[in-house]
Amino acid sequence: MLTDAHCHPYDLSKISLESAQEQRLSGVLAAASACSEEEFLYNEELSRNTPLILCFGIHPQLPSLRQPDDKLPEMLELLASEKRIAAIGECGFDLYNSQFKETELLQEHLFSFHLEIALRYDLPVVLHVRRAMHKIFSLTKTLSKCKTVVFHSWPGTLEEANALLKQGVNAYFSFGNIIMLNHKRAMRCCAMLPLQRLLTETDAPYQMRKGQLFSHWQDLHLILESAAALRREAGNNINTKALEIQIEDNFKKAYLLNYS
């Protein structure tokens, strides 16, 4: 089964309702992210007849883009306590530009709250990290207490990923279309990281290939084939079908699932 470790069905539906509905027919097992009540309720309805697991968190860019709803932290804890979500996130840090850096202290506060909820309810966390790996390494003691940590579109180096694992963080590293965009660091990580730690994602609709208007479920076939090719080139021989089976198993472990 193909798996999508991170996507935004609600946002994809705003661009292409047809593409958003394709997942219902494709059988892709996906983790759907939401950072508002409207998004979450859309994803929750979609999950009634789609292999979709639900995530909720306050995106680290949100404080810079608009005033976050004061009720979002309360909603996050409610969803976790009612077992309506399978993971906390996406959350984390985004220090990509001066606009986002202005909210660094608020991002720190929000991330601490997300980790508190994840630990209280034994839930995985899904991380968005841009130009902020130093923040992550300052919190490895807390992150190592989390059930699992999913790095959406892993932004770090191979050495940083291995260091997190050595420090006891039960981390999984997700890769999407970026490995087909000549991103050398991501390609090296995808090729060399432990096989049991790899995930695939679309980040639909946001991580498109060159010439694409948006990313969507159908990209998973190419992402998987590209990942298998990278591993073979690095001497980690595996065929595409075997990689698909392994990544499905990784997905279920990362999100604490018991799908048959």
Side-chain angles (χ1 to χ4, degrees):
M1 178 185 289
L2 291 170
T3 52
D4 189 344
H6 184 75
C7 59
H8 303 266
Y10 175 84
D11 293 345
L12 181 57
S13 73
K14 297 300 181 184
I15 297 173
S16 171
L17 183 59
E18 181 180 351
S19 290
Q21 292 174 338
E22 282 176 8
Q23 198 268 343
R24 186 171 296 180
L25 303 174
S26 68
V28 171
L29 177 58
S33 180
C35 64
S36 72
E37 183 176 12
E38 185 177 8
E39 289 176 68
F40 177 77
L41 292 177
Y42 175 90
N43 292 345
E44 188 173 49
E45 179 62 29
L46 191 63
S47 73
R48 300 189 193 284
N49 55 6
T50 304
L52 201 69
I53 68 166
L54 304 176
C55 313
F56 187 85
I58 304 169
H59 196 290
Q61 292 179 358
L62 190 61
S64 300
L65 301 176
R66 64 178 186 271
Q67 180 65 35
D69 189 331
D70 291 339
K71 295 180 180 179
L72 290 180
E74 180 182 344
M75 182 177 176
L76 173 61
E77 181 157 16
L78 179 65
L79 293 175
S81 67
E82 292 180 347
K83 299 182 178 180
R84 291 168 66 188
I85 53 176
I88 303 293
E90 64 189 288
C91 58
F93 299 100
D94 197 317
L95 304 179
Y96 180 72
N97 58 33
S98 58
Q99 179 187 9
F100 296 152
K101 286 178 181 178
E102 288 178 358
T103 64
E104 184 174 349
L105 290 178
L106 181 53
Q107 289 183 45
E108 289 178 359
H109 173 74
L110 288 171
F111 190 54
S112 293
F113 175 73
H114 283 81
L115 291 182
E116 178 185 331
I117 299 300
L119 293 172
R120 185 180 305 163
Y121 295 101
D122 287 331
L123 289 170
V125 290
V126 182
L127 300 191
H128 169 110
V129 183
R130 283 208 304 178
R131 298 193 179 175
M133 286 304 300
H134 60 290
K135 295 283 190 182
I136 297 304
F137 277 99
S138 71
L139 293 165
T140 52
K141 185 175 181 180
T142 303
L143 288 169
S144 67
K145 297 176 184 177
C146 295
K147 286 288 187 178
T148 63
V149 178
V150 175
F151 283 92
H152 140 58
S153 194
W154 168 243
T157 65
L158 178 63
E159 292 73 21
E160 287 171 330
N162 286 326
L164 287 169
L165 294 172
K166 287 180 180 178
Q167 292 183 42
V169 180
N170 190 14
Y172 291 82
F173 307 94
S174 187
F175 300 91
N177 280 326
I178 193 169
I179 62 173
M180 292 180 281
L181 295 173
N182 201 35
H183 192 294
K184 299 296 186 182
R185 187 166 63 190
M187 293 164 69
R188 179 170 180 252
C189 289
C190 187
M192 299 299 294
L193 277 168
L195 185 60
Q196 295 78 12
R197 296 291 172 175
L198 292 184
L199 297 171
T200 52
E201 68 169 79
T202 64
D203 195 19
Y206 295 112
Q207 195 179 111
M208 67 287 289
R209 300 189 313 277
K210 186 176 181 180
Q212 263 187 324
L213 295 178
F214 53 88
S215 54
H216 51 78
W217 320 112
Q218 293 178 356
D219 295 342
L220 288 169
H221 293 282
L222 288 174
I223 292 166
L224 192 66
E225 289 172 1
S226 297
L230 286 169
R231 294 192 71 82
R232 288 194 296 270
E233 289 169 9
N236 297 316
N237 196 39
I238 190 168
N239 64 47
T240 303
K241 186 59 182 178
L243 183 59
E244 178 183 340
I245 292 170
Q246 179 64 59
I247 288 179
E248 179 186 352
D249 184 61
N250 297 348
F251 181 102
K252 292 173 181 177
K253 288 176 179 175
Y255 284 104
L256 310 178
L257 303 180
N258 293 307
Y259 280 81
S260 59

